[in-house]
């Protein structure tokens, strides 16, 4: 049970920290907490506009790192409900 709880907390932390980092960058790219992040300028072919892609920090580790945290959290919440060997 402790392993599931700690895994769930880790998943929640990854989810929140990654989303917070992206949100802070979108709000103010010059903020001290995100100003040192590496950014790749890309061209969006659907909209025709340039866009910034974070390639360091949480977003440099994986393409959709927030979904990874969400997935870990969801599995940890599901284990006690569907696995008879736990608990």
């Amino acid at each position: 049970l402790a392993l599931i709880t700690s895994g769930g907390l880790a998943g929640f932390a990854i989810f929140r920290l990654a989303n917070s980092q992206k949100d802070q960058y979108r709000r103010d790219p010059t903020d001290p907490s995100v100003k040192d992040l590496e950014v790749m300028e890309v061209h969006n072919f659907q909209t025709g506009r340039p866009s910034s892609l974070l390639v360091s920090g949480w977003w440099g580790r994986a393409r959709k790192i927030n979904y990874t945290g969400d997935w870990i959290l969801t599995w940890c919440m599901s284990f006690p409900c569907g696995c008879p060997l736990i608990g």
Side-chain angles (χ1 to χ4, degrees):
L1 191 57
L3 183 63
I4 292 172
T5 302
S6 60
L9 290 173
F12 181 74
I14 292 168
F15 175 78
R16 289 297 305 144
L17 291 170
N19 280 333
S20 295
Q21 186 179 64
K22 183 171 66 172
D23 180 61
Q24 185 60 45
Y25 180 81
R26 284 183 176 171
R27 288 176 189 260
D28 182 13
T30 62
D31 187 88
S33 65
V34 293
K35 71 176 183 167
D36 294 328
L37 292 176
E38 293 179 45
V39 177
M40 180 187 298
E41 298 299 326
V42 295
H43 183 77
N44 187 323
F45 290 110
Q46 285 185 323
T47 63
R49 296 185 299 194
S51 183
S52 297
L53 180 66
L54 293 173
V55 293
S56 66
W58 282 105
W59 296 93
R61 299 188 189 282
R63 167 103 176 152
K64 303 272 186 178
I65 193 71
N66 59 330
Y67 293 144
T68 304
D70 193 27
W71 184 82
I72 293 169
L73 175 60
T74 302
W75 273 100
C76 288
M77 289 176 13
S78 299
F79 281 144
C81 298
C83 186
L85 298 176
I86 299 174

